[in-house]
Amino acid sequence: MNKQQEIDILSHLISIKSVNDHEAAVADYIESLFKPYEDQGVKIERVSYAPDRDNLIVTIGEGERMLGFSGHEDVVAPGDLSQWNSDPFKATIKDNMLYGRGASDMKSGLAALIAAMLDMLENHHVPGKIRLLCTVGEETGEYGAAQLTKLGYADNLAGLVIAEPGNDMHEIGYTSKGIIDYIVTSKGKGAHSSQPQKGINAIDHLIDFAVQVKPLMAKFDKVNPVLGPLTHVQSVFNGGEQINSVPAKAVMKGNIRTIPEYPNQVVFDTLNGLVDQLNQKPGYDLTIEYSFPEDAMPGDKDAPLIKLIEHVHDELFDGPIEPKGQAGASDGSEFLHAKGDFAIALIGPGNNTQHQSNECVDLDVYHQSIKFYQQLAEEFFAQP
């Protein structure tokens, strides 16, 4: 595969408007690239999450050990189009940078994995069994990865590489914080504000929760040496209908970033316990729900997969590579629940322009990342 063909794959992926939806079109395109190689034993599977939202699984090669590659098919919205210098859904090249929504996060990484695997098939040299997991909904909750994990597609991998942006291939993410988004709803009873005794103020009760939850979260005071502390932010607060009425309903939302020292269930138990405690008071009616929580992803920077990535990187790239912790979650937070004990590494050709206007990727890094994934697979299966 020549460099123009590699660019064409990335450009086509960017042209598909898979903004938090429509991943089936991405799956269609990727499937079309691998279809010609089915006579080489390529196995293509689709798993639908919802209408027009398909995960895609492509397995090539043979052997007892299986290396996992993964990338997500969705992107975030482009935002204010006036802040873009080009159409976000038309790949534009300027000064060796390719611009477009997903150029960094993470259609360049996905395209590089695809190109690497296609090169192996084209050259009739697949060093071992490799499975590509293309997921839906990573940007809004990793639910494609959760679905594939529950169905067993990541079970008993020998290692998993997720092509998330890694500072132009100079960082390996090997551990990450978890996420808990919670929504607390307080129900009261409406009344005229001139007769508040006839109502139940939902805001007052919600404020009680908001005040009391802070010291409870502060008790989670251990600090992970790589990821730092657990963090808690009360980010949304809504309530009431109009100024002369006792509010009958109020809602607050909070975001917690967890660390391996405090599994999500420990935090759930604390939040649920506070809600139960407040509901013992007369008139209180609080409920709590969680939106796509993700566990923290523990990791070992000395794991054989991480060391192998460092070695291959040194052979192909100038400058050092650094194992790092990630503040945000990824599909790795779901794949870690698969059966088996395997390391997960996040490394891809993207950079820190993800989710921004004029998102871009360095084409030299992109082309070199394709060689990196090929050589990584070669040396991975050469190991005993």
Side-chain angles (χ1 to χ4, degrees), residues 49-298:
Y49 175 78
D52 205 26
R53 310 198 73 174
D54 287 359
N55 302 285
L56 185 74
I57 306 96
V58 180
T59 308
I60 68 173
E62 298 177 344
E64 294 183 4
R65 299 170 69 225
M66 182 161 62
L67 174 63
F69 284 159
S70 182
H72 60 82
E73 303 166 327
D74 57 321
V75 296
V76 298
D80 184 356
L81 296 181
S82 69
Q83 298 300 309
W84 285 78
N85 296 328
S86 58
D87 184 341
F89 296 106
K90 183 177 181 181
T92 303
I93 298 174
K94 182 179 180 181
D95 298 329
N96 206 47
M97 303 294 288
L98 186 147
Y99 293 84
R101 177 51 88 220
S104 179
D105 184 15
M106 59 170 289
K107 285 183 173 177
S108 61
L110 180 58
L113 294 174
I114 293 165
M117 293 172 66
L118 290 173
D119 265 341
M120 297 175 200
L121 292 167
E122 187 176 312
N123 294 324
H124 296 274
H125 180 70
V126 182
K129 193 172 185 179
I130 301 171
R131 173 165 290 170
L132 175 64
L133 302 162
C134 306
T135 61
V136 306
E138 191 273 348
E139 296 289 3
T140 50
E142 292 83 34
Y143 35 83
Q147 182 182 27
L148 294 185
T149 299
K150 290 177 182 177
L151 292 173
Y153 284 99
D155 283 353
N156 302 311
L157 293 174
L160 175 62
V161 178
I162 304 176
E164 286 281 4
N167 189 22
D168 288 333
M169 299 290 290
H170 287 295
E171 293 177 359
I172 314 168
Y174 71 96
T175 182
S176 66
K177 285 189 171 184
I179 297 177
I180 295 176
D181 288 333
Y182 69 84
I183 304 98
V184 178
T185 302
S186 173
K187 293 182 180 179
K189 180 181 178 182
H192 196 282
S193 60
S194 65
Q195 297 177 309
Q197 70 278 8
K198 293 185 177 181
I200 298 174
N201 194 315
I203 290 179
D204 285 349
H205 296 174
L206 193 60
I207 288 174
D208 284 347
F209 175 91
V211 170
Q212 293 183 39
V213 74
K214 287 184 178 181
L216 291 177
M217 292 298 104
K219 290 181 179 179
F220 297 117
D221 57 358
K222 293 180 182 178
V223 177
N224 183 278
V226 176
L227 300 171
L230 177 148
T231 61
H232 171 229
V233 176
Q234 297 176 356
S235 48
V236 177
F237 206 109
N238 292 315
E241 294 79 30
Q242 60 187 56
I243 199 166
N244 62 340
S245 295
V246 174
K249 182 179 179 181
V251 176
M252 73 162 286
K253 299 180 181 180
N255 176 269
I256 300 170
R257 301 290 170 137
T258 58
I259 55 177
E261 287 78 358
Y262 298 114
N264 281 10
Q265 189 59 53
V266 174
V267 181
F268 294 152
D269 291 344
T270 300
L271 295 172
N272 294 340
L274 177 57
V275 169
D276 291 343
Q277 177 186 328
L278 290 171
N279 281 340
Q280 300 304 309
K281 297 183 177 183
Y284 281 67
D285 185 2
L286 302 176
T287 57
I288 188 167
E289 57 183 315
Y290 304 98
S291 176
F292 297 111
E294 300 291 347
D295 284 309
M297 187 177 80

Side-chain angles (χ1 to χ4, degrees), residues 364-376:
D364 287 341
V365 175
Y366 168 64
H367 292 306
Q368 196 71 351
S369 72
I370 296 169
K371 296 179 182 178
F372 169 85
Y373 293 128
Q374 289 178 285
Q375 187 162 330
L376 177 65

Side-chain angles (χ1 to χ4, degrees), residues 297-333:
M297 187 177 80
D300 178 7
K301 69 177 182 179
D302 295 319
L305 178 62
I306 305 301
K307 292 300 182 183
L308 178 61
I309 288 172
E310 292 177 329
H311 169 71
V312 174
H313 179 275
D314 289 346
E315 293 181 329
L316 295 177
F317 289 91
D318 295 328
I321 187 167
E322 181 182 6
K324 295 193 70 174
Q326 308 275 313
S330 72
D331 279 343
S333 296

